[in-house]
Amino acid sequence: MKNNYIICNLDNNQIQDIKLIEDELKINILPKNSILEDLENEYFSYFVLKDKINKNIVGYIATSHVYDTMDIISIVIKKDYQRLGLASYLLNYIINFAKEKNISNILLEVRKSNIPAQRLYKKFNFKKINERKNYYKAPIEDALIYKLEINNINFNSNRKWSKINSLP
């Protein structure tokens, strides 16, 4: 299953594709001009997940990183591709990427109502560290802040972190 997908850097020509995925899911994480600016900034990384067969983008992950801390800005999977382990695939990729960049901590915010995402983060040993009241707009909702301390995970640079083996 995971062999049918490839992860690569987002380029300017693919921004509209990820915005279409957000539209399908009725979310708007970042405006196009912000993404364009981020792609010129060495402290931001955007990766797309592509179906090898039809070459379509089926998801993406966006991060920012400064010094030893990375923030996951968004992780999004197209509706028809959800529940296939692809968010795990992207998350595993970014954890390995962070480790290679000597990142010690990964932080993220998630809507309090987004239970599937919370389960995913807990599966990867993220710990809830705080809560932000009324953080999200439309609708207004609290955010839960999760943190992963990378130095506390079992990582072997000769292979991917063991969570990748749990993919379908």
Side-chain angles (χ1 to χ4, degrees):
M1 169 76 164
K2 68 183 180 209
N3 294 331
N4 295 334
Y5 301 93
I6 186 167
I7 297 172
C8 51
N9 289 312
L10 174 72
D11 66 43
N12 293 355
N13 300 328
Q14 299 168 321
I15 294 172
Q16 189 57 37
D17 294 326
I18 67 171
K19 295 307 291 175
L20 288 172
I21 294 171
E22 289 182 2
D23 290 347
E24 173 195 4
L25 298 172
K26 296 178 177 48
I27 58 174
N28 183 24
I29 297 168
L30 290 173
K32 184 177 179 177
N33 61 333
S34 293
I35 297 170
L36 281 167
E37 289 175 16
D38 291 349
L39 291 177
E40 300 299 319
N41 186 325
E42 67 180 304
Y43 298 110
F44 287 84
S45 298
Y46 286 72
F47 298 98
V48 292
L49 180 66
K50 293 174 76 174
D51 185 317
K52 283 184 185 178
I53 297 168
N54 62 27
K55 309 292 189 230
N56 290 337
I57 293 174
V58 300
Y60 78 94
I61 190 165
T63 68
S64 66
H65 43 92
V66 179
Y67 300 112
D68 70 340
T69 301
M70 175 181 281
D71 288 300
I72 294 178
I73 300 166
S74 59
I75 181 168
V76 178
I77 301 293
K78 198 172 183 175
K79 188 172 185 111
D80 290 345
Y81 291 82
Q82 292 178 0
R83 303 234 182 264
L84 299 176
L86 299 177
S88 291
Y89 190 44
L90 277 173
L91 193 54
N92 183 77
Y93 181 88
I94 214 66
I95 291 169
N96 285 290
F97 175 80
K99 186 66 177 179
E100 290 168 9
K101 297 281 185 190
N102 295 314
I103 301 286
S104 300
N105 300 296
I106 300 177
L107 298 168
L108 60 86
E109 291 99 11
V110 62
R111 284 184 179 271
K112 196 171 189 176
S113 64
N114 193 344
I115 304 303
Q118 291 174 47
R119 280 192 207 113
L120 171 68
Y121 303 136
K122 289 175 185 174
K123 178 174 107 173
F124 279 84
N125 296 320
F126 280 81
K127 306 293 183 213
K128 181 181 147 197
I129 60 167
N130 209 336
E131 191 169 324
R132 289 187 176 152
K133 296 289 182 193
N134 302 320
Y135 178 76
Y136 290 104
K137 309 297 179 232
I140 295 173
E141 186 174 352
D142 297 347
L144 303 179
I145 303 171
Y146 280 84
K147 177 180 179 181
L148 176 66
E149 294 180 12
I150 293 181
N151 296 333
N152 293 338
I153 64 172
N154 182 17
F155 180 86
N156 178 337
S157 61
N158 294 326
R159 65 175 172 80
K160 298 297 182 195
W161 188 41
S162 62
K163 287 291 179 183
I164 201 162
N165 296 327
S166 67
L167 292 177

